[in-house]
PDB file of all heavy atoms in Angstrom:
ATOM      1  N   ASN A1525     -58.078  50.970   2.680  1.00  0.00           N
ATOM      2  CA  ASN A1525     -58.584  52.213   2.102  1.00  0.00           C
ATOM      3  C   ASN A1525     -59.480  52.041   0.942  1.00  0.00           C
ATOM      4  O   ASN A1525     -60.405  52.823   0.764  1.00  0.00           O
ATOM      5  CB  ASN A1525     -57.403  53.168   1.765  1.00  0.00           C
ATOM      6  CG  ASN A1525     -56.415  52.553   0.820  1.00  0.00           C
ATOM      7  OD1 ASN A1525     -55.999  51.455   0.942  1.00  0.00           O
ATOM      8  ND2 ASN A1525     -56.037  53.362  -0.207  1.00  0.00           N
ATOM      9  N   MET A1534     -65.748  52.612  10.194  1.00  0.00           N
ATOM     10  CA  MET A1534     -65.741  51.827  11.460  1.00  0.00           C
ATOM     11  C   MET A1534     -65.482  52.810  12.637  1.00  0.00           C
ATOM     12  O   MET A1534     -64.616  53.679  12.564  1.00  0.00           O
ATOM     13  CB  MET A1534     -64.694  50.778  11.420  1.00  0.00           C
ATOM     14  CG  MET A1534     -64.441  50.152  12.708  1.00  0.00           C
ATOM     15  SD  MET A1534     -63.904  48.398  12.481  1.00  0.00           S
ATOM     16  CE  MET A1534     -63.588  47.955  14.181  1.00  0.00           C
ATOM     17  N   TYR A1536     -64.040  52.623  16.288  1.00  0.00           N
ATOM     18  CA  TYR A1536     -63.211  51.650  16.925  1.00  0.00           C
ATOM     19  C   TYR A1536     -63.410  51.561  18.442  1.00  0.00           C
ATOM     20  O   TYR A1536     -63.737  52.584  19.073  1.00  0.00           O
ATOM     21  CB  TYR A1536     -61.740  51.944  16.701  1.00  0.00           C
ATOM     22  CG  TYR A1536     -61.364  51.759  15.283  1.00  0.00           C
ATOM     23  CD1 TYR A1536     -61.551  52.760  14.302  1.00  0.00           C
ATOM     24  CD2 TYR A1536     -60.710  50.589  14.828  1.00  0.00           C
ATOM     25  CE1 TYR A1536     -61.203  52.628  13.000  1.00  0.00           C
ATOM     26  CE2 TYR A1536     -60.308  50.417  13.470  1.00  0.00           C
ATOM     27  CZ  TYR A1536     -60.568  51.462  12.567  1.00  0.00           C
ATOM     28  OH  TYR A1536     -60.204  51.245  11.231  1.00  0.00           O
ATOM     29  N   GLU A1591     -64.703  59.119  17.652  1.00  0.00           N
ATOM     30  CA  GLU A1591     -64.943  58.152  16.572  1.00  0.00           C
ATOM     31  C   GLU A1591     -66.281  58.441  15.847  1.00  0.00           C
ATOM     32  O   GLU A1591     -66.294  58.414  14.592  1.00  0.00           O
ATOM     33  CB  GLU A1591     -65.061  56.732  17.184  1.00  0.00           C
ATOM     34  CG  GLU A1591     -63.730  56.214  17.666  1.00  0.00           C
ATOM     35  CD  GLU A1591     -62.745  55.962  16.499  1.00  0.00           C
ATOM     36  OE1 GLU A1591     -62.996  55.097  15.610  1.00  0.00           O
ATOM     37  OE2 GLU A1591     -61.649  56.629  16.505  1.00  0.00           O
ATOM     38  N   GLN A1594     -65.807  61.331  13.472  1.00  0.00           N
ATOM     39  CA  GLN A1594     -65.108  60.924  12.331  1.00  0.00           C
ATOM     40  C   GLN A1594     -66.051  60.280  11.333  1.00  0.00           C
ATOM     41  O   GLN A1594     -66.034  60.556  10.104  1.00  0.00           O
ATOM     42  CB  GLN A1594     -63.964  60.015  12.577  1.00  0.00           C
ATOM     43  CG  GLN A1594     -62.847  60.739  13.409  1.00  0.00           C
ATOM     44  CD  GLN A1594     -61.733  59.854  13.882  1.00  0.00           C
ATOM     45  OE1 GLN A1594     -61.255  58.997  13.089  1.00  0.00           O
ATOM     46  NE2 GLN A1594     -61.255  59.990  15.071  1.00  0.00           N
TER      47      GLN A1594
ATOM     48  N   TYR B 974     -55.384  52.761  10.595  1.00  0.00           N
ATOM     49  CA  TYR B 974     -56.414  53.672  11.091  1.00  0.00           C
ATOM     50  C   TYR B 974     -56.697  54.777  10.144  1.00  0.00           C
ATOM     51  O   TYR B 974     -57.860  55.025   9.773  1.00  0.00           O
ATOM     52  CB  TYR B 974     -55.987  54.260  12.470  1.00  0.00           C
ATOM     53  CG  TYR B 974     -56.960  55.064  13.267  1.00  0.00           C
ATOM     54  CD1 TYR B 974     -58.266  54.630  13.435  1.00  0.00           C
ATOM     55  CD2 TYR B 974     -56.587  56.260  13.863  1.00  0.00           C
ATOM     56  CE1 TYR B 974     -59.198  55.423  14.237  1.00  0.00           C
ATOM     57  CE2 TYR B 974     -57.456  57.024  14.581  1.00  0.00           C
ATOM     58  CZ  TYR B 974     -58.797  56.616  14.802  1.00  0.00           C
ATOM     59  OH  TYR B 974     -59.589  57.316  15.536  1.00  0.00           O
ATOM     60  N   MET B 976     -55.854  54.779   6.929  1.00  0.00           N
ATOM     61  CA  MET B 976     -56.389  54.199   5.712  1.00  0.00           C
ATOM     62  C   MET B 976     -57.859  53.927   5.807  1.00  0.00           C
ATOM     63  O   MET B 976     -58.579  54.073   4.811  1.00  0.00           O
ATOM     64  CB  MET B 976     -55.584  52.918   5.345  1.00  0.00           C
ATOM     65  CG  MET B 976     -54.197  53.138   4.896  1.00  0.00           C
ATOM     66  SD  MET B 976     -53.269  51.638   4.697  1.00  0.00           S
ATOM     67  CE  MET B 976     -54.028  50.901   3.265  1.00  0.00           C
ATOM     68  N   SER B 977     -58.328  53.473   6.988  1.00  0.00           N
ATOM     69  CA  SER B 977     -59.744  53.228   7.119  1.00  0.00           C
ATOM     70  C   SER B 977     -60.567  54.506   7.082  1.00  0.00           C
ATOM     71  O   SER B 977     -61.784  54.544   7.016  1.00  0.00           O
ATOM     72  CB  SER B 977     -60.023  52.458   8.416  1.00  0.00           C
ATOM     73  OG  SER B 977     -60.014  53.295   9.550  1.00  0.00           O
ATOM     74  N   ARG B 978     -59.873  55.675   7.095  1.00  0.00           N
ATOM     75  CA  ARG B 978     -60.580  56.989   6.927  1.00  0.00           C
ATOM     76  C   ARG B 978     -60.421  57.463   5.482  1.00  0.00           C
ATOM     77  O   ARG B 978     -60.693  58.583   5.111  1.00  0.00           O
ATOM     78  CB  ARG B 978     -60.010  58.021   7.838  1.00  0.00           C
ATOM     79  CG  ARG B 978     -60.166  57.616   9.379  1.00  0.00           C
ATOM     80  CD  ARG B 978     -61.600  57.410   9.773  1.00  0.00           C
ATOM     81  NE  ARG B 978     -61.738  57.234  11.197  1.00  0.00           N
ATOM     82  CZ  ARG B 978     -62.575  56.348  11.826  1.00  0.00           C
ATOM     83  NH1 ARG B 978     -63.247  55.509  11.033  1.00  0.00           N
ATOM     84  NH2 ARG B 978     -62.608  56.216  13.036  1.00  0.00           N
ATOM     85  N   LEU B 980     -57.439  57.361   3.419  1.00  0.00           N
ATOM     86  CA  LEU B 980     -56.122  57.711   2.885  1.00  0.00           C
ATOM     87  C   LEU B 980     -55.389  56.503   2.338  1.00  0.00           C
ATOM     88  O   LEU B 980     -55.611  55.407   2.823  1.00  0.00           O
ATOM     89  CB  LEU B 980     -55.217  58.286   3.965  1.00  0.00           C
ATOM     90  CG  LEU B 980     -55.644  59.617   4.570  1.00  0.00           C
ATOM     91  CD1 LEU B 980     -54.540  60.154   5.487  1.00  0.00           C
ATOM     92  CD2 LEU B 980     -55.955  60.679   3.540  1.00  0.00           C
TER      93      LEU B 980
END
Side-chain angles (χ1 to χ4, degrees):
Chain A
N1525 58 315
M1534 172 149 175
Y1536 293 82
E1591 289 291 300
Q1594 292 176 43
Chain B
Y974 185 48
M976 285 173 73
S977 76
R978 301 301 187 221
L980 296 187

